[in-house]
Amino acid sequence: WDKIKPLIDECDYYILIVGYYYGSIVDGETISYTQKEYEYALSIGKPILSFFIDESFNTIKDDNLSNINLFKEKIKDNGKL
């Protein structure tokens, strides 16, 4: 996180591409690194461009899609899609 946060601070946009794999959970937290990055960019007012990969695209998928679906709903609710 100490390496990722300054990169987000320096960038002009935070671009997020979301598939069907939630990713690694941050130690001691309940969210993935990707979701933590997204929430940080959102909190500092960084312009965000989010894209969802179509379900028909052949990609890695979690056995349980509940976390990724909740994350996608949060993105939609924030109007950042």
Side-chain angles (χ1 to χ4, degrees), residues 41-59:
L42 190 64
S43 75
I44 63 170
K46 189 67 63 176
I48 298 173
L49 299 172
S50 301
F51 302 90
F52 291 171
I53 293 176
D54 187 87
E55 190 172 2
S56 65
F57 187 73
N58 187 15
T59 185

Side-chain angles (χ1 to χ4, degrees), residues 3-74:
K3 293 181 181 187
I4 296 169
K5 187 178 171 197
L7 293 173
I8 296 170
D9 291 334
E10 293 176 23
C11 70
D12 294 326
Y13 284 86
Y14 179 78
I15 299 174
L16 178 66
I17 301 171
V18 183
Y20 291 88
Y21 183 74
Y22 187 63
S24 302
I25 305 290
V26 178
D27 289 339
E29 297 189 31
T30 59
I31 61 173
S32 69
Y33 280 97
T34 303
Q35 186 168 347
K36 184 170 181 158
E37 292 172 8
Y38 169 80
E39 290 180 3
Y40 176 70
L42 190 64
S43 75
I44 63 170
K46 189 67 63 176
I48 298 173
L49 299 172
S50 301
F51 302 90
F52 291 171
I53 293 176
D54 187 87
E55 190 172 2
S56 65
F57 187 73
N58 187 15
T59 185
I60 298 171
K61 294 183 181 180
D62 276 335
D63 292 333
N64 180 346
L65 296 175
S66 61
N67 285 340
I68 195 68
N69 288 336
L70 289 171
F71 183 30
K72 287 179 176 183
E73 287 304 314
K74 182 173 198 156

